[in-house]
Amino acid sequence: MRLKNSVTIVLSCATILMSGCKTTESMYYYGNYSEAVYSYFKADETPVSQQITILEEVIAQARGKGKPVAPGVHAHLGMLYFESGNNDQGTNHFEQEKALFPESAAYIDFLINQSSGANI
């Protein structure tokens, strides 16, 4: 009888503890961002144009879901645009990253200065 009571108490405590656990949803929308970054650093099969498309879709999906784009998405997309030779779009996305995440301004300004006249 004592064992049964002990088991009941342990199971009750476990149930209470587990009911307090909840999967938290990120406040930012990431979509396929991590796959695009992995693909970039793997320097493999995925062309820059396809990576640009993936990140543009992430931004559109975030808007559709009413969630803010994750930190780094615009910066990474800006870098890809610079690599593809579209410096205006690259600068545009760098500026968006700065506007959304002011703490990144110094680094983004550095990247913009480095990109004027040279690819990142």
Side-chain angles (χ1 to χ4, degrees):
M1 187 65 146
R2 251 181 124 183
L3 180 60
K4 185 177 178 183
N5 287 340
S6 296
V7 170
T8 302
I9 291 171
V10 169
L11 289 176
S12 296
C13 289
T15 302
I16 291 169
L17 290 173
M18 294 302 284
S19 66
C21 297
K22 176 181 156 186
T23 304
T24 58
E25 187 176 324
S26 174
M27 66 184 280
Y28 298 109
Y29 184 76
Y30 287 87
N32 291 331
Y33 175 51
S34 61
E35 288 88 0
V37 171
Y38 175 77
S39 178
Y40 176 79
F41 285 111
K42 192 175 170 192
D44 65 344
E45 321 93 30
T46 310
V48 170
S49 61
Q50 188 175 348
Q51 293 175 40
I52 288 172
T53 301
I54 290 168
L55 292 181
E56 290 286 3
E57 288 173 1
V58 167
I59 293 168
Q61 290 167 353
R63 280 190 201 116
K65 294 178 180 288
K67 293 188 85 174
V69 176
V73 172
H74 283 288
H76 190 81
L77 185 54
M79 181 187 62
L80 292 172
Y81 273 119
F82 275 107
E83 283 190 17
S84 70
N86 191 336
N87 293 356
D88 290 339
Q89 279 289 73
T91 301
N92 179 39
H93 283 284
F94 278 169
E95 293 296 338
Q96 287 181 55
E97 184 76 19
K98 276 184 5 181
L100 293 171
F101 306 101
E103 64 276 11
S104 70
Y107 182 63
I108 297 298
D109 287 340
F110 168 77
L111 293 176
I112 290 171
N113 290 333
Q114 291 296 310
S115 63
S116 56
N119 285 340
I120 296 176

